[in-house]
Amino acid sequence: MSVESKKAREACCSKLKLFLVSLAFVYFAKAFGGAYMKSSITQIERRFDIPSSLIGVIDGSFEMGNLLVIAFVSYFGAKLHRPRLIGIGCLVMATGSFIVALPHFLQGPYKYETSMSHNTQVNTTENILPCLSNHSLNEKDEIPDVEAMKACEKAVGSSMWIYVFLGNMLRGIGETPIMPLGISYLDDFSKHENTPFYLACIHTTGILGPMFGFMLGSFLAKTYVDIGFVNLDSITINYKDSRWVGAWWLGFILTGTVILLSSIPFFFLPKSLPKQGEEEEGGNKSTELASGPEQESFLPDETQDGGDKEKTVTFKEMAKDFVPSLKRLFRNSIYTMMILTHLVAVNGFIGMITFKPKFMEQIYGQAASKAIFLIGIMNLPAVALGIITGGFILKRFNLGVVGAARVSISASLGAFSLLTLQGFFHCDNAEVAGLTVAYQGYQQVSYNYSTLLSPCNMGCSCSMKHWDPVCAYNGMTYASPCLAGCQTSTGTGKAMVFHNCTCVGDFMTPAANMSAVLGQCPRKSDCDYKFKIYMALTVVGAFISACGGTPGYIVLLRSIQPDLKSLALGMQTLIVRTLGGIPPPIYFGALIDRTCLKWGTKQCGGRGACRLYDSNAFRMTFLGLVTGLYFLTNVLWGILYVKIIKRQKKLALRNQAKDNEVEGNTQNNGHANISISTNKEEDNKESSI
């Protein structure tokens, strides 16, 4: 009884399961940090006053870090102490997170763009005269002196975004060993039939990381960047304003700490483990024959002889074998096709997830914090449920490569259909006088700064550079109180109200309210209804798309030879991160920048971050790119599926020939019956759905 209970305890608390739990936690930690980085993109863009194309470069620096070391870590790391390398990678990731937060402590308080000083005496009334201010048009809009601008930029630390770039790159370097070494370690020492379930568990736990990351990003997006250092009563903007910057730096300190903690268990795990199940069977040879990995039948390896022997390999021998291993790997047409398909899909996904909060903010008028929160609380749980559902389908129906491919392509087609529907539910442009609509009673000529001037504000000497929006009681937003023609103001801070605004009163009845308050006007009531439909489509689409994640990964794993597994996963990560992670935020951002209607102004002059986009052009650009890439993904999946079917037919013919040969030598080979049953079982498994 005691022996049995001891065995049960060992099985329950095996080192493989400890590794599984540790890997799941580190997946959570790295996803937590990565999702928080995505959720902070808008805040970082506003804090450093940079365009979307440059924020795309910063976002892509994570993949640049991967590019530097992934191939060598994947190849040489597979022959070294894999758990320890994962632990070291986590330490590097944590350091990178702390460096990203560093600029907040090196630069001064955030000074948002405004057309006038709002920080006035609390006790005064009628304290600001926007239209009658003692400034001239030339004074506000003149080209600043180049030397003065350089001195100003140096003083305010406008290049501090470089720390964010370098810290994020360091995060990418540290993340490198986790996926290829962790998955290959798990697949090497777990039962073949348990691998899909373990992968689903890891990825499902990992998806909790983005949920927490986006929720943290949403909370901190509502918290002012200089919380504790400034008087919040003097701030005239709120978290819904396009100039608002949340406490982005605090999240990187928290995520860095979690990643640091996740590194600890890996320093106490062994370099290798006994194969799961062999402890109970004593390494019985018949068991090994009956449970051989599927990839041996799917992709025959010409160099299997002596594979069971363990011998010490020198660094020189490993380096010499690197190029031949790469050649063997890329001769596999199914592997290369899988890489290409995954590459195109990741381009669409990365571009979409990077700018989705901005899309929800500009198209549906949602605050950045609310957009981030909804992604974390609705889309990501749907993804988690989809991943575990995909793993369950594989295990429940015992699907092979063909079945897994069918599940993946069905999920891809379903997600593409729902993505196409999203384009039909959108809101109109925000009504901003002189930018998206004409001033009351005046014809809108084109989208440019000259249309900000109108007969109603011509005598006010307004600056056209600044963005300090006010909402009038006629439902129209004006770029600044001055451009609304407001004569006086009362109140301080966020409660400031502007009165006698001449542009508001144009062609209206004399009794109409001619006042305005700070901030943009809310969208029309039907916009909220359309937004709910859009969110429902994205949630269902996320679930369907995620259902194909685990099956797609199994197709990749079963298409490679066992000794090339770590290298194959590493090269896949290298290629996808390089061509699927770095370019999309840059070209998505550059094309989105072309739809900007009103650029902000930096503290030292010059163009800052975009404050207002043409929502129709933004939508066509953003959804057009994502939909096009997902359409191409489905085409590639179709080609890949045809290749898999052809490979399976060749495999079936080869196995049939082997069976005939073995039957002729049954009397001379005691293991022939086991071999026959294994091959037949493989054939049935490969074609089952």
Side-chain angles (χ1 to χ4, degrees), residues 357-650:
K358 185 189 286 285
F359 176 80
M360 294 164 68
E361 185 180 2
Q362 293 295 326
I363 305 301
Y364 300 100
Q366 303 297 318
S369 58
K370 184 179 178 182
I372 295 165
F373 177 78
L374 288 174
I375 292 171
I377 207 70
M378 294 181 71
N379 289 78
L380 294 177
V383 172
L385 186 61
I387 289 173
I388 198 70
T389 302
F392 173 78
I393 290 170
L394 283 179
K395 189 171 177 67
R396 172 68 179 81
F397 298 101
N398 200 26
L399 300 182
V401 175
V402 176
R406 288 178 186 173
V407 173
S408 289
I409 196 168
S410 300
S412 183
L413 284 168
F416 172 74
S417 302
L418 289 171
L419 182 64
T420 306
L421 286 176
Q422 291 175 21
F424 296 99
F425 299 95
H426 61 89
C427 303
D428 295 328
N429 267 317
E431 293 186 349
V432 182
L435 289 175
T436 61
V437 294
Y439 280 87
Q440 294 285 339
Y442 297 94
Q443 185 179 2
Q444 174 73 5
V445 181
S446 62
Y447 292 155
N448 57 61
Y449 289 153
S450 64
T451 58
L452 287 171
L453 293 179
S454 171
C456 64
N457 60 29
M458 197 65 77
C460 294
S461 301
C462 301
S463 168
M464 293 183 291
K465 286 185 177 180
H466 291 111
W467 177 254
D468 197 13
V470 292
C471 177
Y473 282 89
N474 62 355
M476 183 85 74
T477 300
Y478 296 86
S480 71
C482 183
L483 288 168
C486 300
Q487 306 296 316
T488 59
S489 71
T490 56
T492 58
K494 297 182 183 70
M496 191 177 293
V497 180
F498 300 90
H499 305 283
N500 301 323
C501 304
T502 55
C503 292
V504 177
D506 275 355
F507 296 92
M508 296 176 68
T509 58
N513 192 330
M514 295 170 60
S515 61
V517 295
L518 287 170
Q520 282 184 251
C521 295
R523 298 293 182 94
K524 294 178 181 177
S525 57
D526 66 332
C527 188
D528 189 51
Y529 172 72
K530 291 176 180 176
F531 177 67
K532 288 176 181 176
I533 297 175
Y534 164 78
M535 283 305 300
L537 289 172
T538 61
V539 169
V540 177
F543 170 76
I544 293 174
S545 179
C547 284
T550 304
Y553 208 80
I554 291 300
V555 173
L556 177 68
L557 276 177
R558 300 300 173 237
S559 70
I560 50 184
Q561 297 162 342
D563 63 317
L564 296 177
K565 197 180 302 175
S566 288
L567 179 62
L569 293 175
M571 291 308 298
Q572 180 236 8
T573 306
L574 169 67
I575 294 167
V576 171
R577 285 278 169 83
T578 305
L579 301 176
I582 299 173
I586 299 172
Y587 67 75
F588 266 76
L591 291 171
I592 286 170
D593 279 342
R594 296 173 69 89
T595 67
C596 184
L597 295 178
K598 182 71 177 77
W599 290 97
T601 305
K602 288 185 179 180
Q603 188 178 338
C604 301
R607 196 173 79 172
C610 186
R611 305 302 185 194
L612 181 73
Y613 293 87
D614 177 358
S615 64
N616 291 324
F618 187 113
R619 176 175 55 86
M620 296 293 287
T621 301
F622 181 77
L623 288 182
L625 277 172
V626 176
T627 306
L629 289 166
Y630 273 66
F631 174 77
L632 183 56
T633 301
N634 283 291
V635 172
L636 292 172
W637 258 119
I639 298 170
L640 178 63
Y641 181 71
V642 172
K643 281 183 170 291
I644 291 173
I645 294 295
K646 287 181 178 178
R647 178 69 62 89
Q648 288 303 107
K649 287 179 179 178
K650 288 182 181 178

Side-chain angles (χ1 to χ4, degrees), residues 55-71:
I55 203 68
V57 174
I58 292 173
D59 186 61
S61 63
F62 183 88
E63 277 69 31
M64 294 177 195
N66 266 262
L67 172 64
L68 292 175
V69 294
I70 183 69

Side-chain angles (χ1 to χ4, degrees), residues 54-104:
L54 184 52
I55 203 68
V57 174
I58 292 173
D59 186 61
S61 63
F62 183 88
E63 277 69 31
M64 294 177 195
N66 266 262
L67 172 64
L68 292 175
V69 294
I70 183 69
F72 299 101
V73 167
S74 301
Y75 181 69
F76 296 113
K79 305 173 190 303
L80 302 173
H81 198 300
R82 285 179 282 186
R84 198 169 293 164
L85 282 176
I86 293 171
I88 293 169
C90 291
L91 294 178
V92 175
M93 278 188 77
T95 304
S97 296
F98 297 140
I99 291 175
V100 170
L102 190 60
H104 174 75

